[in-house]
Amino acid sequence: MDTLFSQLIKISIENEARCIAVAGADHLYPGRIYVGERTQLEVFAQDGSRQAVWETPETGGALTSIGVARDLLFLADAVHRAVFIVSTDGTQVGRLGGSDG
């Protein structure tokens, strides 16, 4: 039977995935895979090798979505009702929204 999809890579993650994003050609690291889990973000190279594990920017968060730009990530957090702006090395550089406005 012909299938529409084939397995390109297989990655193992530490916790249940809640969101995922793959960096496009204009990203600093094209093909990089970002997997959002409740309280952390796992980062994988295009070949599936783990590059890093980053904790959520604020304690007790819950990642729900990831946006990828050239050199930034936008991490939506449902608990804090905010979007954290993070550099490609995991450093928080900004924040949009949240309970404080």
Side-chain angles (χ1 to χ4, degrees):
M1 179 170 105
D2 291 333
T3 60
L4 206 60
F5 301 99
S6 63
Q7 180 174 313
L8 300 177
I9 62 169
K10 183 177 182 175
I11 58 175
S12 295
I13 57 176
E14 294 181 1
N15 300 294
E16 180 181 351
R18 300 172 64 90
C19 50
I20 187 169
V22 179
D26 60 337
H27 188 60
L28 273 173
Y29 304 99
R32 185 177 261 187
I33 303 162
Y34 298 96
V35 179
E37 300 164 3
R38 182 170 175 81
T39 61
Q40 67 183 20
L41 184 78
E42 291 196 59
V43 182
F44 297 89
Q46 189 172 8
D47 66 3
S49 60
R50 181 178 284 111
Q51 303 295 296
V53 178
W54 303 331
E55 296 300 317
T56 52
E58 292 188 13
T59 306
L63 295 180
T64 57
S65 185
I66 305 167
V68 181
R70 183 184 186 294
D71 58 354
L72 295 172
L73 301 172
F74 298 86
L75 308 177
D77 183 320
V79 171
H80 295 101
R81 297 187 319 215
V83 174
F84 296 102
I85 305 167
V86 178
S87 68
T88 56
D89 68 359
T91 304
Q92 182 180 342
V93 297
R95 173 186 172 146
L96 303 170
S99 59
D100 61 354

